[in-house]
Amino acid sequence: DLLEAFNDLARPDVNELLREIYIQPDGITLFTHWVPLNVDGVRQGIVAVFHDISDLKKAENMRRDFVANVSHELRTPVTIIKGYAETLLDGALESDPVRALRFVEIISSHSERLTNLINDILTLSSLETKEAILELNPIDVSGTIAKACMLLQERAVQKHISIFNESTGGALPRVMADQGRLEQVVVNLLENAIKYTPDGGRVRLFTEDDGECVRVSVADSGIGIPFKDLPRIFERFYRVDEARTREQGGTGLGLAIVKHIVQLHGGNVSVTSEPGQGSVFSFTLKKA
Ligand code: ADP
């Protein structure tokens, strides 16, 4: 690319050159601006300005991928809803009431999936645009953990999963956090722990004093996550087993939301897992 720019600039009719150059293997994108330096009509040299726009390019690509992924995710439920509604209208509604009921149930479950997906996308976008309005207050995390356990108790009971809340209540220092957002983090992690743990399993929630931070962990005895997938697990729409997790009604955005909220608070997220044994998801929050 650089050679090409030099050659183009050698042409007498070229007075200025703007060019994007991609450098492999470093994955650097440069925006370059070239101007020949002429003295008395004789070319003496070239002035070139290079701007490193790699980060900008990366952000642009991520946005493009996200839009493509969202469209892809929306298409499946919409196609299913449309297909079954048409079958009903074409006569199944009257000719086969038993199947008709099944079709309506399918339409309903996929509408719910659409709603969840749109809610998660809106949450992510509000986290990105309204960073400034985290309502930070000194909070007792064990209260938030207790609330999340209560909210998801019913779902755990349905799967015969026992939830053990082992967070050390009063002894733990308060953290600076946005109550609503923190609740969402714990709920998302607990929801996953229940979702990816087979019937009869166990989920533990515990807290630790970690110097400047408090660490909150959600541990399950579930299906676990293969080592190779761990680095990507917090990416938007990344799922370990596409077919299985989609069937569970997941949007693939839960952990991306968790990571985003924790990082907005200045904390970090981590995960350890053993396939077949279970997973431990942890996050830290700064003490108040
Ligand atoms: P989803 O809506 O699909 O659950 P998430 O972003 O919450 O999306 O999680 C991403 C993927 O990480 C899931 O699809 C699943 O494969 C895996 N995962 C998340 N939590 C757990 C867990 N506790 N145990 C096993 N796998 C998990």
Side-chain angles (χ1 to χ4, degrees):
D1 280 346
L2 284 173
L3 213 61
E4 209 176 284
F6 271 120
N7 287 338
D8 287 350
L9 224 62
R11 288 184 3 225
D13 57 320
V14 177
N15 293 321
E16 189 180 19
L17 210 64
L18 296 169
R19 193 154 291 177
E20 228 171 70
I21 296 178
Y22 182 67
I23 302 178
Q24 275 173 330
D26 311 300
I28 293 172
T29 311
L30 296 174
F31 180 73
T32 61
H33 187 181
W34 309 73
V35 184
L37 202 65
N38 296 336
V39 178
D40 297 333
V42 181
R43 185 156 300 181
Q44 302 288 335
I46 296 165
V47 177
V49 180
F50 288 34
H51 295 276
D52 185 346
I53 56 163
S54 313
D55 288 344
L56 213 73
K57 274 281 163 196
K58 240 175 259 166
E60 196 181 298
N61 288 342
M62 267 171 69
R63 245 196 312 274
R64 196 178 310 142
D65 286 353
F66 184 63
V67 172
N69 280 331
V70 166
S71 318
H72 176 78
E73 296 286 336
L74 290 174
R75 193 156 51 207
T76 315
V78 170
T79 308
I80 291 173
I81 290 170
K82 187 164 176 282
Y84 282 101
E86 280 169 6
T87 313
L88 286 170
L89 286 173
D90 283 348
L93 193 57
E94 271 128 34
S95 66
D96 193 346
V98 179
R99 271 175 67 218
L101 181 65
R102 175 83 194 108
F103 291 172
V104 174
E105 279 166 3
I106 294 172
I107 289 175
S108 164
S109 93
H110 283 273
S111 320
E112 189 174 322
R113 205 174 125 192
L114 266 185
T115 312
N116 292 340
L117 192 61
I118 289 164
N119 284 340
D120 278 358
I121 291 167
L122 288 177
T123 302
L124 266 180
S125 113
S126 80
L127 286 171
E128 274 171 354
T129 53
K130 301 179 203 156
E131 299 193 346
I133 57 164
L134 271 186
E135 246 184 73
L136 292 179
N137 286 302
I139 284 175
D140 168 19
V141 271
S142 53
T144 311
I145 293 175
K147 185 166 176 205
C149 291
M150 202 184 67
L151 286 173
L152 292 169
Q153 186 59 37
E154 185 53 36
R155 214 174 295 179
V157 168
Q158 279 167 11
K159 284 186 77 179
H160 307 286
I161 288 172
S162 323
I163 300 181
F164 299 93
N165 177 0
E166 299 169 3
S167 75
T168 44
L172 203 68
R174 289 171 174 242
V175 295
M176 279 312 264
D178 181 311
Q179 176 75 55
R181 298 295 189 195
L182 175 60
E183 200 175 296
Q184 184 159 26
V185 168
V186 182
V187 164
N188 281 11
L189 292 179
L190 187 54
E191 224 172 13
N192 278 353
I194 296 170
K195 198 155 59 175
Y196 300 111
T197 296
D199 272 41
R202 298 179 337 128
V203 176
R204 285 192 318 126
L205 295 103
F206 55 95
T207 48
E208 292 156 288
D209 190 325
D210 191 14
E212 285 184 0
C213 298
V214 166
R215 179 183 306 279
V216 180
S217 302
V218 181
D220 64 59
S221 64
I223 59 174
I225 301 161
F227 187 69
K228 68 168 177 45
D229 294 300
L230 285 178
R232 302 197 58 190
I233 205 80
F234 290 95
E235 283 176 22
R236 294 160 181 203
F237 296 118
Y238 191 83
R239 300 172 173 105
V240 173
D241 178 342
E242 283 282 328
R244 180 160 56 176
T245 54
R246 230 184 268 252
E247 208 175 276
Q248 305 255 21
T251 61
L253 293 174
L255 287 180
I257 291 174
V258 164
K259 184 175 174 183
H260 218 106
I261 294 178
V262 171
Q263 286 183 342
L264 275 183
H265 281 84
N268 57 57
V269 289
S270 58
V271 55
T272 57
S273 187
E274 182 85 33
Q277 303 294 312
S279 313
V280 185
F281 283 85
S282 303
F283 64 92
T284 57
L285 288 171
K286 288 202 180 103
K287 288 180 186 168

